[in-house]
Amino acid sequence: MLGVYVHLPFCPYLCPYCDFAKWPLREGAARRYIAALYAEIEREQPATAASIYLGGGTPNAYDAETIAALLERLERRFSRPQEISIELNPELVRDSDFDAYRAAGVTRVSIGVQSFEPAEIRTLGRKHTVAQIERVVAQARAAGLQSLSLDLMFAVPGQTPESWHRTLRAAIGLEPDHISAYGLTVEDGTPYAAWREREPDAFFDDEREAELYAIAIEEMQAAGYEQYEISNFARPGQRCTHNLNYWENGEYVGLGVGAASFRAGVRSVHTRSLETYVTAALDGRPIPSDAERLEGRKRAGEAIMLALRTAQGVSLRAFKERYGVDVMKDYAPIVARFANTGLLERIGDSVRLTRRGRFLANDVCGAFITFE
Ligand code: SF4
């Protein structure tokens, strides 16, 4: 199974917490970037993809015709997969966009909602309104898109358990097929990092963040959403194929500035310099990238970390067959430590995070990665 990720890095404005590879939208740069992407796509060997994912940045900073033309290029190289996703900023959606997306093969839209509380939306530096979110969801439904996902964020400064309940209920009330809920991470070098430096109390500590995470799990479960990954919830049959492939340690191709690939045991990440990427792609030179071959214990540790993110956890038999690793034996001290502290559990052939373990997933996963 092969996933194809395409990074579209332009945004109408930059959010103060964001650490992605992104730039303010400028028409000339955006056009030149598409030409660079086309050049990179042309160089790819033809392959059959199981999914295409257009992420960003803000993919719909481009008009729907440009997105359709890009998908057409991608399909020439990777055929038309069953799942094609696009991330959308609700304030930029135009009336006819969904019909155009659907005609171009898009099956799944992921809408960057973050919150249904106007004050929190503003704190995040976003400019959309709740009315725009509702309109966009209705338009996507009317156009017959197969799958609709809403992205939410918790641990936003000023958020309370009550306001988070309201956001979750508003989201669930729109009956999406899928909901992602991520805790805010403050990344070094962002305006949010400077804010936290000045005013640490405005931000959530681990305990208060865990309380919001628990609320999310309860609300989603009560509404019939299955938590199939630490931050992702889906109605039956509506899991995101593209992201599942990452967590199952499948192969993927990343196209565009800063995009990551994993093929034939090698993980590589393109340069995060826009000019370097565009110039290399247009000149037909290799895109400068950092590459690392994942082998032996390192590869197994990464695979365990990814599998632990999922509801199924690590399948012991599958790991033995695929990586030659006996998780219970080769990682015995770690499994014992986290089983004894109630963070890991063994169910049949699987080892997985307990409910409490999901709150502390980074600690557990980190221990597997660094275990020698
Ligand atoms: S819209 Fe997304 S990618 Fe763009 S600045 Fe905001 S968070 Fe970052």
Side-chain angles (χ1 to χ4, degrees):
M1 160 145 182
L2 179 75
V4 176
Y5 173 82
V6 183
H7 193 67
L8 296 165
F10 297 102
C11 298
Y13 50 83
L14 303 185
C15 307
Y17 58 90
C18 179
D19 185 39
F20 298 144
K22 83 296 175 185
W23 286 267
L25 179 63
R26 282 173 289 118
E27 209 178 295
R31 259 204 314 273
R32 197 159 163 261
Y33 184 79
I34 288 289
L37 268 181
Y38 281 5
E40 194 187 5
I41 294 166
E42 290 303 312
R43 279 193 257 158
E44 282 294 321
Q45 292 298 317
T48 304
S51 62
I52 292 176
Y53 192 103
L54 305 184
T58 303
N60 67 324
Y62 286 100
D63 59 32
E65 293 70 32
T66 304
I67 295 294
L70 174 61
L71 285 173
E72 211 244 332
R73 293 278 179 140
L74 289 164
E75 287 168 14
R76 275 193 232 156
R77 273 288 175 280
F78 301 107
S79 67
R80 181 179 280 202
Q82 287 212 330
E83 181 185 279
I84 300 181
S85 304
I86 183 170
E87 292 176 352
L88 300 177
N89 176 336
E91 78 202 70
L92 299 182
V93 173
R94 303 144 193 109
D95 282 347
S96 57
D97 282 357
F98 288 111
D99 290 331
Y101 293 151
R102 193 162 166 229
V106 172
T107 60
R108 187 173 179 281
V109 292
S110 177
I111 300 170
V113 168
Q114 317 313 344
S115 173
F116 281 83
E117 297 284 307
E120 291 169 19
I121 295 172
R122 277 196 304 278
T123 298
L124 289 168
R126 296 297 186 101
K127 298 186 179 155
H128 57 263
T129 63
V130 172
Q132 279 171 325
I133 298 165
E134 291 167 351
R135 184 172 60 88
V136 165
V137 168
Q139 285 174 329
R141 287 292 187 218
L145 266 295
Q146 274 171 33
S147 192
L148 176 81
S149 179
L150 303 183
D151 275 0
L152 304 178
M153 191 172 277
F154 60 93
V156 177
Q159 198 171 37
T160 63
E162 293 69 34
S163 73
W164 181 227
H165 270 296
R166 285 197 297 273
T167 280
L168 287 162
R169 287 176 188 165
I172 289 165
L174 294 175
E175 302 184 347
D177 305 294
H178 185 284
I179 298 178
S180 301
Y182 286 94
L184 174 78
T185 311
V186 178
E187 305 284 358
D188 288 347
T190 60
Y192 258 43
W195 180 12
R196 189 173 63 178
E197 192 72 22
R198 288 191 312 273
E199 210 185 331
D201 289 348
F203 291 82
F204 280 68
D205 58 26
D206 290 350
E207 202 177 313
R208 288 172 60 229
E209 182 170 340
E211 185 190 349
L212 299 188
Y213 183 54
I215 289 171
I217 294 172
E218 274 159 31
E219 288 277 3
M220 305 277 199
Q221 274 176 352
Y225 290 85
E226 179 207 7
Q227 184 179 17
Y228 70 104
E229 195 265 349
I230 287 173
S231 306
N232 286 279
F233 303 80
R235 294 260 197 225
Q238 294 285 354
R239 298 173 177 195
C240 174
T241 304
H242 186 81
N243 286 337
L244 270 176
N245 183 48
Y246 289 135
W247 301 316
E248 287 167 0
N249 210 17
E251 300 208 322
Y252 50 91
V253 181
L255 302 167
V257 63
S261 299
F262 179 58
R263 275 190 287 191
V266 176
R267 186 177 51 199
S268 61
V269 184
H270 282 352
T271 173
R272 275 179 71 128
S273 158
L274 182 61
E275 188 52 33
T276 305
Y277 167 78
V278 168
T279 313
L282 292 177
D283 289 353
R285 285 184 282 111
I287 312 294
S289 305
D290 286 332
E292 179 186 20
R293 176 167 289 283
L294 297 178
E295 290 176 310
R297 193 46 83 80
K298 181 142 198 179
R299 182 152 187 225
E302 291 262 342
I304 292 171
M305 174 199 75
L306 292 166
L308 281 177
R309 295 190 64 90
T310 65
Q312 285 85 354
V314 175
S315 162
L316 299 173
R317 200 169 343 108
F319 263 67
K320 182 103 186 145
E321 281 166 16
R322 192 165 166 195
Y323 305 105
V325 166
D326 183 336
V327 176
M328 298 305 287
K329 202 158 130 254
D330 299 343
Y331 291 86
I334 301 189
V335 174
R337 168 154 51 112
F338 290 119
N340 290 338
T341 48
L343 303 184
L344 275 184
E345 63 186 355
R346 179 162 179 183
I347 307 277
D349 174 55
S350 295
V351 172
R352 63 181 196 187
L353 293 171
T354 60
R355 189 179 165 128
R356 207 163 80 76
R358 280 181 249 157
F359 296 121
L360 296 165
N362 288 346
D363 295 347
V364 181
C365 293
F368 280 99
I369 295 260
T370 51
F371 184 65
E372 295 287 332

